[in-house]
Amino acid sequence: MSGREVLEAYRGRPIYSLIEKGYYRPWDPLRVSHIRGWDIHVKSGSWQVEGVLRMLFHVLDPEVAKDPANLIVYGGTGRAARGWEAFEAIVETLMEMSEDETLVVQSGKPVAVFKTRREAPRVVISNAVLVPKWADWEVFWDLERKGLTMFGQMTAGCWSYIGTQGILQGTYETFAFAAEQHFPEGSLEGRLVLTAGLGEMGGAQPLAVKMNGGVALVVEVDRRMIERRIRHGYLDTWTDSLDKALDMALTAKERREPISIGLLGNAAEVYNEILRQGVIPDVVTDQTPAHDPLSYVPLGLSVEEAEKLRVEDPERYKRMALESMREHVKAMVEFKRRGSVVFEYGNNIRKMAYEAGYRDAFEFPGFVQAYIRPMFEEGRGPFRYSSLTGNPKDIYRLDDEIIATFKDNRRLVRWVEKARQHVKFQGLPARVVWLGYGERARFGKIMNSLIRLGEIGPMWIGRDHLDSGSVASPYRETEGMLDGSDAIGDWPVLNALLNASAGATWVCFHHGGGVGIGYSLHAGFGLVLDGTKESEERAERVLTVDPGLGVVRHADAGYEKSKNIVCEKGIKTPMIKC
Ligand code: NAD
């Protein structure tokens, strides 16, 4: 069918108005563009519903999503909706529903709309959840093939992904913490960081290292991903020659010049080759999609060969991927033994290598245990917001507000200044700042009053599922908890229930994000601020209970800092005597 014929087929349907405005193009593989401006497209006339619609369109914009033609946003196969039919049904339901109804989404497919009440969430979402005994990739893929489920990663299926920036601050902070902990100068100046993977999350690494003053050498198997990162300003230069890359990296290290270098190659091979050449980087990590053996590209295969084998013989593909991960992790352990600071960056590669027979795979720690836990103890985590009207000025106005409000938090101020300078917006302009308990509610209220005063337009607030009280992931966020509660899955369930009770605009509960099916449970939310009194109250409640549960989760596990916050801030917990 020609574009015109497709257009005619949609005439009379609610989504037609979005097609007319060019936000949705069913004839184009890159179908979706983010929606800007003040026109409301939903019948209810409510920003609470329009905001959901806009974030769904935003995550699928080609500027934001990794593979928008297949509704894949990031992280291997993290999707926003089960398929295009489901996407259209979600969109049209949002356009037609009223402000006291709730849309129910089961793994990317809209299944019902119920009358609830205005203060309730407009959408509730569950993604990829399987009964524990069945919770592995084999069962998941089988059910996915039958069209019964969808992998939502952490924020893809929760319509809360803001492009690589979302992970940039976390990555920046992680490298900053590592530098403070391991190097006397407290920065990465004159240090070489070796890592891999320039995907949606991993693509933040080169810029984060550079922002910390270091030299980043990043191995990536897919040339298109390298070019994409250069285009987005996250990577400076690239080569397909290891000798050239090492020469550039070691010269820059010597001169203490921050630079990021992409190297086209397979990490399992390149890491071992660097070892053989006797080069020992100061820091080694990795962000290949090891959580999913069908996404990780095995040794010896080009990207095209991998794509073919993945379809023709997935069993052989997985075997090869696991064997490659074993070699990859062996090299990382060897780097550690020879003096590098080594950590896993949340992709479960140690477990995969262990499964493939490498018993020493857990010789290096995960990044949360090593560097992020102290922030989680304070309920501090990745607080995100975006301008729903698509106005970058609103974000810059809020940058000023953050700097003024939290001027004593030097790390945060430094981040906002650097982000303003380096971050290119993808889709709706957005910002991420790590705020703690008390700070999030305070800033949410400031934001709402600026909207009421007409200084900025309506905003979306959300966060990564990687947060203080919203995730159970024993090889990542909850690795090595003080009381051994790593695998306790109640907390993310409670988080979702609590955020729904507090009146988030939408609430999501997911399985398998970050580390893969069987290894994590996590929850997230979206909150639309429109300047009204009602949205101020929602913000106060949601932005208090959400990080509050994180503080309680850590206090319950015995972390002293969290217990002190519970007592100082008067969080009511029957189990702690202040
Ligand atoms: P992605 O799928 O968008 O990108 C992965 C990249 O790795 C791709 O560009 C791919 O070409 C490349 N790659 C695959 N195999 C390779 C190999 N053998 N050698 C070199 N490059 C290879 O994934 P992403 O969103 O960037 O996430 C990467 C990993 O990090 C995932 O496992 C994800 O679950 C995990 N993750 C980390 C965090 C975090 O906080 N750090 C958060 C979420 C997810």
Side-chain angles (χ1 to χ4, degrees), residues 3 19 25 157 167 307 311 313 338 429 442 449 502:
I19 297 176
R25 298 169 301 277
I167 203 66
E307 271 164 18
V311 178
D313 192 349
R338 297 209 210 159
R442 185 174 169 203
S449 54

Side-chain angles (χ1 to χ4, degrees), residues 247-493:
D247 191 41
M248 261 193 283
L250 294 173
T251 309
K253 174 178 150 99
E254 179 83 24
R255 294 189 185 146
R256 304 175 82 80
E257 281 172 5
I259 186 173
S260 56
I261 305 156
L263 172 59
L264 184 63
N266 190 304
E269 185 185 355
V270 173
Y271 279 28
N272 279 293
E273 187 49 39
I274 293 178
L275 260 179
R276 266 191 291 279
Q277 295 200 19
V279 176
I280 306 302
D282 299 283
V283 179
V284 179
T285 186
D286 162 69
Q287 276 204 55
T288 53
H291 70 281
D292 173 6
L294 274 180
S295 290
Y296 181 97
V297 177
L299 266 172
L301 294 186
S302 67
V303 174
E304 295 72 28
E305 288 164 344
E307 271 164 18
K308 206 156 157 255
L309 186 66
R310 190 177 292 138
V311 178
E312 285 172 1
D313 192 349
E315 285 313 312
R316 180 151 168 257
Y317 187 105
K318 277 182 268 172
R319 257 196 327 274
M320 287 175 73
L322 283 171
E323 280 163 18
S324 305
M325 288 190 229
R326 188 183 60 214
E327 298 314 304
H328 190 155
V329 172
K330 266 188 187 167
M332 292 174 78
V333 166
E334 193 51 36
F335 277 126
K336 177 167 188 282
R337 290 175 183 165
R338 297 209 210 159
S340 303
V341 170
V342 182
F343 58 91
E344 180 190 290
Y345 214 143
N347 61 0
N348 217 14
I349 197 164
R350 292 170 301 170
K351 176 69 174 163
M352 295 296 173
Y354 186 85
E355 295 287 314
Y358 182 45
R359 297 293 119 180
D360 296 341
F362 282 89
E363 214 173 277
F364 55 87
F367 76 112
V368 174
Q369 191 182 9
Y371 309 115
I372 303 287
R373 180 79 33 83
M375 296 205 263
F376 281 176
E377 289 168 34
E378 301 171 13
R380 189 172 297 282
F383 175 89
R384 301 173 171 183
Y385 46 90
S386 68
S387 156
L388 288 171
T389 55
N391 190 350
K393 284 193 193 132
D394 291 0
I395 300 299
Y396 298 131
R397 172 76 181 81
L398 290 168
D399 284 347
D400 295 339
E401 207 58 44
I402 287 267
I403 291 171
T405 309
F406 303 108
K407 56 180 176 305
D408 297 333
N409 185 340
R410 279 191 43 241
R411 189 192 281 270
L412 175 63
V413 170
R414 195 177 59 184
W415 155 255
V416 173
E417 286 168 354
K418 295 218 178 215
R420 184 181 247 174
Q421 188 187 343
H422 290 284
V423 169
K424 284 191 186 171
F425 296 133
Q426 296 168 259
L428 291 174
R431 187 65 84 225
V432 52
V433 287
W434 279 49
L435 295 181
Y437 179 79
E439 296 173 342
R440 296 196 203 186
R442 185 174 169 203
F443 197 64
K445 279 164 64 184
I446 291 176
M447 224 186 251
N448 196 62
S449 54
L450 290 174
I451 301 169
R452 187 167 41 234
L453 292 170
E455 291 196 27
I456 57 173
M459 302 292 298
W460 163 82
I461 292 179
R463 58 158 170 75
D464 197 348
H465 292 199
L466 170 153
D467 197 12
S468 171
S470 56
V471 52
S473 183
Y475 292 127
R476 211 168 89 170
E477 288 86 345
T478 52
E479 178 174 9
M481 292 296 289
L482 217 50
D483 63 346
S485 59
D486 307 19
I488 293 294
D490 297 324
W491 298 100
V493 178

